[in-house]
Amino acid sequence: MPAWTIAIPETPCATYVIVKNISAQSSEKTVKEFFLFCGKITEFELITDDDNEHQVALIHFERESAAKTATLLSNALIDECHIVATPYFESTTSTEEKEVSDNEDQATATTQESKAKSRIAAEILANGYILQDQVVAKGLEYDSKYSLSTRLTGYFTALTSNVKSIDEKYRIWDKAVEIDNKFKIQEKVHNAATTAQNTATAALQSPTGQKVERIASQTFAQIAAVHFEAKRIQTEKATPVAAAS
């Protein structure tokens, strides 16, 4: 194990996260700024890992909810490396549900810790980082499990219902079609997709299969909505710059 200069408590604490498989080229600033999307960081240390090929980071967050968000971002891409973020301690006494409840009571809260995980994912995407859909899906699953307040539910309902209007404004679908036409993506995957579809069709005829299909369709729609939100955030950030120039 790396020799940390951060004082690690003897009693397991859920606010500590260890991040492995960080590119040797990644700067401390890059890695720290990425995890600041999760919430306030009390202590941060980045050192060379034991394999001498990657770096490893120890992050002490101010709140457990921020640490939880960090672990949900495992497998995100930073400088061409898929990071692995896990709790530093294998077992801790969690106060997560209480923190979620506290956050829901803060109707006007704007801290990172109080935001829906899907909103944080959108912000990260808007800043140019790459999150695989499975990473976004983990955030959506967490929101579905814990974020039951009117504030967060209303946010996501508005997000998903406005996908069409957002697309009409930013023409994301047109760009996707343009890219597809250029690289013949659909043509290349058609044969493989047809084979997979034929295999799956029979299973989807059953009641269980139809339920799984509905859930999958809903998840894909939610993931798409997060990407649309990221585009909206990105465009809003660029507007003042464009106006100034």
Side-chain angles (χ1 to χ4, degrees):
M1 280 292 292
W4 303 108
T5 60
I6 292 177
I8 300 171
E10 294 183 6
T11 303
C13 178
T15 55
Y16 287 81
V17 172
I18 187 167
V19 186
K20 298 182 178 181
N21 204 49
I22 300 171
S23 170
Q25 280 68 52
S26 294
S27 67
E28 179 175 321
K29 180 176 183 290
T30 296
V31 180
K32 188 173 183 179
E33 284 184 349
F34 178 83
F35 283 102
L36 277 171
F37 282 105
C38 304
K40 291 182 180 179
I41 293 175
T42 303
E43 296 174 287
F44 180 93
E45 188 172 353
L46 180 67
I47 60 177
T48 301
D49 205 351
D50 293 337
D51 64 5
N52 292 317
E53 295 181 1
H54 297 88
Q55 298 184 93
V56 58
L58 178 62
I59 309 174
H60 179 201
F61 288 97
E62 184 178 276
R63 301 189 65 174
E64 183 181 338
S65 56
K68 178 60 181 178
T69 302
T71 60
L72 290 174
L73 295 175
S74 190
N75 207 41
L77 193 66
I78 301 179
D79 293 331
E80 307 305 318
C81 279
H82 291 283
I83 60 168
V84 179
T86 58
Y88 182 83
F89 295 100
E90 291 185 3
S91 178
T92 61
T93 302
S94 176
T95 60
E96 181 178 64
E97 291 190 26
K98 182 180 184 303
E99 287 209 8
V100 170
S101 177
D102 289 346
N103 285 337
E104 289 182 350
D105 291 338
Q106 299 170 17
T108 58
T110 57
T111 62
Q112 289 301 108
E113 293 89 345
S114 68
K115 293 178 181 177
K117 307 304 183 189
S118 49
R119 166 69 189 192
I120 293 174
E123 291 178 356
I124 291 172
L125 289 165
N127 279 271
Y129 293 99
I130 298 174
L131 298 181
Q132 291 183 316
D133 285 349
Q134 66 189 62
V135 177
V136 177
K138 284 190 292 184
L140 290 165
E141 182 181 359
Y142 182 94
D143 288 343
S144 177
K145 182 177 180 180
Y146 291 109
S147 302
L148 303 177
S149 70
T150 302
R151 178 171 57 86
L152 293 181
T153 302
Y155 158 75
F156 195 75
T157 300
L159 183 61
T160 52
S161 64
N162 287 336
V163 168
K164 187 176 184 295
S165 62
I166 292 171
D167 186 48
E168 287 174 351
K169 183 175 181 180
Y170 300 119
R171 310 312 305 170
I172 296 172
W173 177 253
D174 287 353
K175 292 294 183 184
V177 172
E178 180 183 326
I179 292 170
D180 179 61
N181 289 337
K182 182 177 180 181
F183 296 104
K184 304 297 181 183
I185 296 171
Q186 293 213 35
E187 182 180 326
K188 291 178 181 179
V189 303
H190 176 72
N191 291 336
T194 300
T195 302
Q197 183 177 10
N198 290 338
T199 304
T201 298
L204 288 174
Q205 299 305 312
S206 68
T208 301
Q210 291 171 9
K211 180 179 180 182
V212 169
E213 184 183 28
R214 286 195 300 273
I215 294 172
S217 298
Q218 183 181 29
T219 300
F220 285 133
Q222 291 174 340
I223 290 172
V226 172
H227 283 281
F228 279 121
E229 174 72 350
K231 183 63 179 178
R232 186 190 65 77
I233 295 170
Q234 191 176 54
T235 303
E236 282 187 352
K237 287 176 60 180
T239 300
V241 177
S245 59

